[in-house]
């Protein structure tokens, strides 16, 4: 039988090319669908299984998820929650939730918001089990981060872009909601480029993030949102003088809250509430103080911001005061409401209002029943007050 070497070689070459094309096509269509809970185990998402498509929310309950470099994760409107796990019974088990990702791309093209959530836990012996996340050189598209109490995480040298129609925050850092002062949340957020979010950062409830070297020029507010309730003594971070804005009202509850010199607080139409702590438990009561020097506070031109003080009279006629010292500050469209058992010291400051609403600079009110205690005794001296209907209004046994 006559052979045709050229034809045989051509047939082999065609078969070889076909195998390569089919292999490449198969690789391009390989993907892994993921969702559901992982409990107290180690999980790895590899480049061989990429892309990973979320078909439901993913919960890491005391589990560790490691994502290899160059993996693509399509969130599809779902979220990844990292929880530390506490359990009791015949066998006591406690474990941290951990997520690690370097050089990973996280996409969200779904109609719903996707986010990473972190929350640690405290067992009955007050041992802390922190939820941890480490992200470096990652890309996040339409993704938000929410760090709850006892979450120690880092997102560094990454790119975050948000083009959803709903205003979103890139990083919300909260903590301190656990009892007895436990639950502080600490994050390291550095070297990131953050574009399209309303706030690149929001801080609330005793969170202590470390923020440095981020490019936030593409955000709606190019600074830090501030809100929530602060339960422990707290000094607001300087963060290279990034401006602050109250995204909601701020509550200082039975502690000393200090704002360093040179910072600015855009209050919008929100309030700062300085309240002595009255939990109903005798040993869990404390006074509250707001301290600031050389700080600028600005309220909305259509309503004005409000700084409010309130103390209380405890069992056995024990007085729990609210107060603090504010010196050499500037207040634009800001009012003060100084209630019972309050003795703030506001000195050498400038107060100016331009809103169309008639307003009083300092509304000072004492105790509102027949008890002889409860006089309000603020010190208001050396201030320049412009544009208000009344600089001071005194009522109900107040003694400014």
């Amino acid at each position: 039988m006559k052979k045709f070497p050229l034809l045989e070689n051509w047939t082999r070459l065609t078969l070889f090319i076909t195998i390569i094309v089919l292999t490449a096509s198969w690789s391009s269509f390989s993907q892994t669908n993921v969702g559901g809970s992982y409990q107290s185990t180690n999980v790895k998402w590899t480049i061989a299984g990429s892309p990973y498509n979320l078909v439901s929310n993913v919960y890491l309950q005391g589990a560790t998820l490691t994502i290899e470099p160059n993996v693509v994760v399509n969130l599809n409107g779902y979220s990844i929650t990292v929880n530390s796990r506490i359990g009791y019974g015949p066998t006591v088990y406690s474990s941290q939730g951990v997520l690690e990702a370097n050089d990973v791309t996280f996409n969200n093209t779904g109609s719903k918001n996707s986010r990473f959530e972190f929350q640690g836990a405290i067992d009955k012996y007050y041992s802390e089990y922190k939820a941890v996340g480490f992200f470096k050189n990652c890309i996040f598209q339409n993704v938000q981060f929410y760090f709850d109490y006892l979450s120690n995480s880092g997102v560094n040298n990454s790119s975050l872009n948000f083009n959803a129609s709903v205003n979103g925050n890139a990083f919300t850092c909260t903590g301190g909601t656990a009892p007895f002062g436990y639950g502080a949340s600490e994050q390291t957020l550095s070297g990131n480029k953050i574009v399209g979010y309303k706030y690149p950062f929001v801080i609330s409830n005793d969170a202590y993030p470390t923020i440095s070297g981020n490019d936030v020029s593409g955000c709606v507010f190019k600074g830090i949102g501030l809100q929530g309730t602060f339960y422990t003594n707290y000094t607001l971070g300087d963060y290279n003088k990034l401006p602050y804005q109250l995204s909601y009202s701020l509550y200082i509850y039975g502690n000393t809250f200090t704002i360093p010199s040179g910072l600015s607080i855009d209050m919008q139409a929100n309030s700062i509430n300085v309240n002595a702590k009255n939990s109903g438990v005798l040993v869990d009561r404390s006074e509250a103080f707001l301290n600031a020097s050389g700080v600028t506070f600005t309220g909305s031109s259509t309503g004005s911001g409000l700084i409010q003080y309130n103390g209380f009279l405890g069992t056995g006629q024990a007085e729990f005061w609210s107060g603090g010292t504010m010196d050499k500050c500037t207040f634009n469209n800001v009012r003060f409401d100084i209630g019972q058992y309050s003795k703030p010291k506001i000195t050498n400051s400038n107060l100016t209002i331009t809103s169309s609403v008639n307003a009083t600079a300092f509304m000072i009110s004492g105790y509102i029943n027949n008890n002889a205690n409860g006089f309000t005794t603020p010190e208001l001296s050396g201030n320049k007050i412009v544009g208000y209907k009344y600089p001071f209004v005194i009522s109900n046994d107040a003694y400014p």
Side-chain angles (χ1 to χ4, degrees), residues 118 131-135 147 151-156 186-189:
F118 294 82
V132 179
F134 298 110
F135 300 86
F147 300 107
S151 58
N152 286 23
S153 301
V155 182
N156 303 303
E186 300 177 3
Q187 294 79 39
T188 300
L189 310 171

Side-chain angles (χ1 to χ4, degrees), residues 115 145-147 168-169 171-177 198-199 201-209 221 224-231 234 236 244-253 257 265-268 270-273:
R115 69 180 189 175
F145 283 82
Y146 187 86
F147 300 107
N169 307 322
F171 299 103
T172 298
C173 307
T174 184
T177 55
K198 181 175 183 180
Y199 294 104
F201 315 100
V202 171
I203 298 175
S204 71
N205 297 17
D206 298 328
Y208 282 93
F221 183 75
I224 301 171
L226 185 64
Q227 64 185 48
T229 302
F230 287 74
Y231 300 90
Y234 190 95
L236 206 58
Y244 283 87
Q245 185 178 77
L246 295 190
S247 40
Y248 292 99
S249 291
L250 176 67
Y251 295 87
I252 300 164
Y253 189 48
F257 192 96
I265 312 291
D266 179 3
M267 299 179 64
Q268 303 191 90
N270 295 307
S271 61
I272 298 176
N273 303 274

Side-chain angles (χ1 to χ4, degrees), residues 58-82:
V58 169
Y59 300 93
L60 303 176
Q61 298 177 323
T64 296
L65 170 61
T66 303
I67 307 178
E68 288 186 346
N70 301 315
V71 165
V72 174
V73 179
N74 296 317
L75 297 166
N76 300 318
Y78 296 106
S79 297
I80 298 178
T81 299
V82 182

